[in-house]
Amino acid sequence: MKFGVGQPVRRKEDVKLVTGRGQYVDDLTFERLTHAYFVRSPHAHAVIRGVDTGTAGSMPGILGVLTAEDTAGLGYVPVRAPLRNRDGSALPQSPKLMLPEDKVRFTGEAVAMVVADTPAQAKDASEAVTVEYEPLQAAVTVTQAPVAPQIWAHVPGNLVFDWSDGDEGACQSAFAGADCRVKVDLVQNRISPAPMEPRGAIGLYDPQGDFYTLYTSTQGSSGMHEKIAQVLNHPPAKLRVITPDVGGAFGMKTSFSAELGLVLLAAKKFGRPVKWTGERLESFLADGHGRDVQMTGEMALDRDGRILALRLNSAANLGAYMTHVGPLIPTMGLRVMGGVYRVPAVYAHVKGYFTNTTTVTAYRGAGRPEAIYVTERLMDLAAAALDLDRLEIRRRNLVAKTELPWRNWKGLSIDSGDFAATLDLAAQTAGWDSFPDRRRESEARGKRRGRGISYYFEASGGPPVNEPAQIRFRDDGIVELLVATQTNGQGHDTTFAQLVHEHLGVPFNSITIRQGDSADGLSGAGTVGSRSLQTAGSALKRALDQVIERGKAATRHVLQAGSAGITFRIQEGGGQFEVTGTDRSIALGELVSVLRQDPIPGFENGLDAAGAFEGPPTFPNGCHICEVEIDPETGAVSIPRYAVVDDVGRVINPLIVDGQIQGGVVQGLGQALLEHCRYDPDSGQLLTATFSDYAMPRADQIPELDIRYNEVPCLTNPLGVKGAGEAGTIGSLPALVGAICDAAGVAHLDMPVTPEKIWRALHPADGVAAVRAFSAETCPRPRSGMAAGSAQKMRQAK
């Protein structure tokens, strides 16, 4: 089928978006619309002594200024993470009010909101609001936090949690008896999601029904609806959240932010719609950031390179306020640590700290990139210490397909995969054996060439929610799909339509998707954790099955088939129901029309159907192999070759999955080479608050990706699919960093691996500080060749 499952169908939604007919929050307008602008703190940590709005309130076009007094008595979003400290105690809360009453806790925190007739008037008046601050010492890193003044009075040492999991005793025994032990210190650099569309919101209020309506950019309206109703202490039935087109999210738009509630309060107070569109500076300052974890990883192996144990100690920066997922990312995200290797013993110890920075929340991968990064970097270092090929050490430790289902250290039951075959296909695609020839060619041009490899593994699916989907047959012949997920670049309109076309034979262009409106009554977990197709798609598959079964029953009645069998078959003209053994049949569309014109009992809604699905995580996995060239004179990096082989289960649309892998790799490249949110350690000021200071990957830095698939269908959902949205990011970080370290001949360089770091590593008299700590203990003596030389360099780099 031209538009069926497995076909590279072009995204149907793109025509609307690239021709300017998309409807983002900022495109919407309403009668008597007003505009908001926020007064934000210039201090990272300060007591608020007073807020004077008198001058601002009297300026032309100003409706008023909201301060903490206007939000008195309202709530906050509590963190209900199923996480406890090692001693069994619960985590403290960080009760973020919509506007702070006592003090500010990060640079850029909103203190007041000005509402005016025009955006310019609101911005001008914001400069006339006077806030008296008493600055306090700030802490912006996890090393500063334990000795800095308390950010929250009830959280001594700014320690949010002290968590551990795994078998500490088994790890200690394994390390004590190991032939080889490797250890490395790593940094997961802090990242700004920087979506193309910044956050924004429009609030409306109807006094007759005490009813709020919010238009905002989210990753699922139903989840945001619940959070906002809770914060406003408002009946959920009197709140509607609508998400129009979304210009990127990457995890950040799952979290409630104060601005969303404030535009609603202002709409009620002033009796007019209130619109806020965040500026890029506000985005850098106040949007949730990602990553920011310091990690020490250790691996124990026998002399043949087989893993005996894996151990991690890390410290996570949560920012000044926790989001609903904040404490889960650096802890539960570690459930994929160890990858698809046989690791007999694992132990993780993580501490989380409050700091005077904006909140740290979900960012593409959310904990899984951190877990796989430390695993794969240790595999590289172990290979060097044992004088083993990096491909071979991975092959020796991979779980065999005959061992599935395999239960990992966190109890995840890996149901499907052929990891050795995926590794071998990646090596073949990348030309692993011919790399020495390419290295010599680079050296002849004065360049240093290196290669990196990673085998990633992740658990996709997000929170365990019974995800809904509905199918409605409209009077105009359109088949409408209702879902609680929210496309923000993934191509849901196309992929879901392909499923319907495949199973019902409905014309592809007669299928539309309805999403993003809490009034539809569908409650789901939204689009997070690479979950949409495996959950909402599976729910849709169940609804499609219902349509067919209901259609068979209706056909038996309409065609008076009695007890004869009814079959459903898709022909060139579409789907039709046939009475077995006869020439009687009725097309799906005709049956829908008949039921609409002459309803029969039990079919008052025609063939409309609903489905729901809740299943375990799926386990995408794959291999990335990257080659880089370094200019030793400047430290500049280029990426001449990049190969990816993914097992994302059944591929519904290879063109869309290619795009997801490409986007993930590019964001991984950005983190590995360029991106880093930097705060001044003394003042807490964000130093990278514009695109002039915060480097993003550009088109000329992106390699051509050779993407292939080893499709091993998942066994735990009816579509056989696995997540794909975050896979590229998870696999790319260790592959890129490993390639650079191989080219530079050093053990490890922290991300972002900038040209300056590389240059300093290549000139150790000037750049010894660029190389991170690495150690290899009691390892067998390296035998000979390139790997032995690398191992010696790594020991010297300690």
Side-chain angles (χ1 to χ4, degrees):
M1 300 176 71
K2 180 179 179 181
F3 298 102
V5 169
Q7 297 300 312
V9 179
R10 291 192 176 186
R11 302 196 329 177
K12 59 162 51 183
E13 55 267 58
D14 286 351
V15 174
K16 175 187 75 172
L17 299 177
V18 301
T19 56
R21 291 183 286 117
Q23 284 284 298
Y24 300 92
V25 173
D26 193 53
D27 294 318
L28 304 177
T29 188
F30 297 88
E31 290 186 8
R32 303 177 67 235
L33 183 66
T34 64
H35 299 268
Y37 194 85
F38 287 92
V39 179
R40 297 187 180 272
S41 169
H43 300 284
H45 198 194
V47 175
I48 300 173
R49 294 300 183 192
V51 180
D52 184 353
T53 64
T55 301
S58 63
M59 293 177 68
I62 303 302
L63 279 72
V65 182
L66 270 65
T67 65
E69 294 180 1
D70 297 283
T71 65
L74 299 181
Y76 65 96
V77 178
V79 175
R80 297 194 179 98
L83 192 73
R84 288 192 172 271
N85 289 304
R86 291 201 290 173
D87 62 6
S89 60
L91 273 59
Q93 295 291 323
S94 53
K96 178 171 174 51
L97 304 177
M98 282 188 281
L99 292 171
E101 297 173 329
D102 54 348
K103 68 177 182 177
V104 292
R105 293 175 170 86
F106 67 92
T107 302
E109 182 171 6
V111 178
M113 182 176 76
V114 180
V115 180
D117 288 327
T118 70
Q121 289 171 331
K123 190 170 186 177
D124 287 346
S126 72
E127 298 178 0
V129 175
T130 302
V131 184
E132 182 182 353
Y133 297 99
E134 180 184 324
L136 303 172
Q137 180 185 344
V140 297
T141 68
V142 293
T143 55
Q144 291 177 319
V147 296
Q150 288 181 209
I151 297 170
W152 294 95
H154 61 287
V155 186
N158 296 312
L159 180 64
V160 184
F161 61 79
D162 182 354
W163 173 92
S164 66
D165 202 354
D167 193 330
E168 185 176 15
C171 275
Q172 289 176 344
S173 297
F175 272 87
D179 295 313
C180 181
R181 297 184 291 272
V182 291
K183 178 180 179 180
V184 67
D185 296 326
L186 308 171
V187 169
Q188 277 282 338
N189 41 320
R190 192 182 184 103
I191 300 297
S192 172
M196 187 176 295
E197 179 204 24
R199 289 186 298 121
I202 302 174
L204 299 92
Y205 179 72
D206 180 359
Q208 293 185 347
D210 190 25
F211 194 93
Y212 288 114
T213 301
L214 177 71
Y215 291 83
T216 188
S217 181
T218 78
Q219 292 177 235
S221 288
S222 63
M224 193 62 69
H225 175 268
E226 178 185 351
K227 297 182 182 78
I228 293 172
Q230 181 179 23
V231 171
L232 295 182
N233 296 329
H234 198 72
K238 294 188 176 183
L239 168 67
R240 183 183 184 187
V241 177
I242 301 172
T243 299
D245 291 323
V246 180
F250 312 119
M252 179 266 291
K253 291 180 181 177
T254 64
S255 300
F256 170 81
S257 62
E259 294 91 346
L260 307 185
L262 288 166
V263 295
L264 293 173
L265 292 181
K268 180 177 182 179
K269 181 172 183 176
F270 302 120
R272 293 169 62 181
V274 178
K275 181 178 187 177
W276 168 71
T277 301
E279 297 181 346
R280 188 57 64 179
L281 175 60
E282 291 180 287
S283 181
F284 276 114
L285 288 172
D287 286 358
H289 291 169
R291 314 288 193 244
D292 203 347
V293 185
Q294 294 188 8
M295 316 176 82
T296 297
E298 300 174 88
M299 183 177 284
L301 307 95
D302 66 18
R303 63 180 55 251
D304 294 321
R306 290 183 172 83
I307 302 170
L308 303 175
L310 179 60
R311 190 160 58 192
L312 173 71
N313 277 278
S314 66
N317 189 336
L318 300 182
Y321 301 92
M322 281 190 292
T323 67
H324 64 296
V325 295
L328 298 180
I329 295 168
T331 54
M332 301 305 291
L334 297 177
R335 62 184 180 164
V336 301
M337 190 168 67
V340 289
Y341 304 124
R342 300 181 201 89
V343 186
V346 178
Y347 177 71
H349 179 202
V350 184
K351 292 184 177 181
Y353 293 93
F354 285 127
T355 64
N356 295 114
T357 62
T358 189
T359 185
V360 174
T361 189
Y363 175 68
R364 200 167 192 166
R368 286 100 78 203
E370 294 90 318
I372 297 303
Y373 184 64
V374 67
T375 302
E376 290 298 300
R377 289 272 57 228
L378 285 168
M379 290 295 280
D380 281 353
L381 300 177
L386 289 165
D387 193 14
L388 285 173
D389 179 82
R390 284 174 286 165
L391 188 73
E392 176 60 24
I393 196 172
R394 288 168 169 83
R395 183 182 287 113
R396 291 184 186 185
N397 286 281
L398 287 174
V399 173
K401 64 179 180 180
T402 55
E403 297 175 277
L404 299 178
W406 178 270
R407 193 170 295 275
N408 84 340
W409 75 285
K410 280 295 292 176
L412 296 177
S413 182
I414 304 169
D415 63 288
S416 59
D418 190 346
F419 315 126
T422 298
L423 182 75
D424 291 341
L425 179 56
Q428 177 185 347
T429 303
W432 185 268
D433 292 338
S434 58
F435 172 75
D437 296 335
R438 294 189 293 277
R439 171 172 267 175
R440 284 190 290 271
E441 188 274 332
S442 296
E443 290 172 349
R445 292 184 286 104
K447 308 291 186 182
R448 301 183 64 137
R449 196 178 191 106
R451 65 177 167 183
I453 178 173
S454 72
Y455 201 106
Y456 83 87
F457 162 70
E458 74 142 322
S460 65
V465 171
N466 202 24
E467 193 70 26
Q470 295 180 5
I471 299 174
R472 294 178 183 172
F473 293 86
R474 296 190 338 204
D475 293 347
D476 59 2
I478 296 295
V479 176
E480 187 175 61
L481 317 178
L482 284 77
V483 292
T485 52
Q486 179 66 51
T487 186
N488 48 85
Q490 294 88 351
H492 293 180
D493 297 52
T494 302
T495 304
F496 289 157
Q498 285 180 261
L499 291 175
V500 175
H501 177 69
E502 174 83 11
H503 290 93
L504 296 184
V506 175
F508 180 73
N509 290 324
S510 296
I511 305 165
T512 187
I513 184 172
R514 181 178 173 91
Q515 60 186 339
D517 190 342
S518 65
D520 288 333
L522 275 68
S523 179
T527 295
V528 297
S530 304
R531 68 184 300 275
S532 296
L533 186 57
Q534 70 190 60
T535 55
S538 293
L540 178 59
K541 173 62 167 61
R542 289 183 171 176
L544 290 167
D545 292 342
Q546 280 197 35
V547 169
I548 294 172
E549 291 306 309
R550 287 172 56 78
K552 290 179 179 179
T555 297
R556 182 172 288 108
H557 188 282
V558 171
L559 297 185
Q560 300 180 351
S563 60
I566 306 294
T567 60
F568 180 73
R569 193 157 59 95
I570 298 175
Q571 297 181 321
E572 187 174 338
Q576 67 176 18
F577 296 92
E578 301 173 347
V579 181
T580 304
T582 74
D583 60 355
R584 286 180 292 165
S585 65
I586 186 170
L588 172 64
E590 183 182 355
L591 179 60
V592 169
S593 298
V594 168
L595 294 176
R596 184 177 296 114
Q597 295 166 7
D598 188 14
I600 59 178
F603 293 89
E604 290 78 9
N605 294 318
L607 297 185
D608 292 357
F613 180 81
E614 179 179 358
T618 65
F619 304 107
N621 63 91
C623 185
H624 289 224
I625 298 177
C626 167
E627 293 184 16
V628 302
E629 274 192 345
I630 291 175
D631 183 342
E633 298 300 319
T634 64
V637 176
S638 62
I639 308 172
R641 293 169 72 96
Y642 200 112
V644 181
V645 175
D646 276 308
D647 170 11
V648 293
R650 189 183 187 197
V651 176
I652 303 299
N653 185 321
L655 191 64
I656 286 178
V657 178
D658 280 357
Q660 289 295 294
I661 302 302
Q662 290 164 354
V665 169
V666 169
Q667 286 190 277
L669 183 152
Q671 180 178 353
L673 303 183
L674 301 162
E675 299 180 53
H676 192 184
C677 293
R678 297 179 182 271
Y679 286 89
D680 181 87
D682 297 321
S683 67
Q685 296 296 312
L686 182 62
L687 303 177
T688 51
T690 71
F691 283 129
S692 295
D693 305 301
Y694 185 88
M696 296 277 282
R698 298 173 183 268
D700 62 354
Q701 297 168 310
I702 309 306
E704 183 173 347
L705 304 179
D706 190 344
I707 301 173
R708 315 246 178 132
Y709 299 102
N710 181 25
E711 294 186 45
V712 182
C714 176
L715 303 179
T716 58
N717 65 67
L719 297 178
V721 298
K722 305 172 186 177
E726 293 156 303
T729 306
I730 298 167
S732 59
L733 297 179
L736 284 160
V737 173
I740 293 170
C741 292
D742 182 49
V746 299
H748 181 69
L749 295 172
D750 269 333
M751 301 182 292
V753 190
T754 61
E756 179 185 358
K757 285 184 182 177
I758 296 170
W759 187 90
R760 292 187 180 279
L762 294 175
H763 301 78
D766 301 313
V768 68
V771 182
R772 293 284 289 179
F774 161 75
S775 65
E777 302 173 0
T778 66
C779 294
R781 184 178 181 84
R783 292 182 287 276
S784 62
M786 185 181 300
S790 297
Q792 183 64 27
K793 289 178 184 177
M794 290 178 180
R795 292 188 179 90
Q796 292 172 349
K798 182 180 176 181

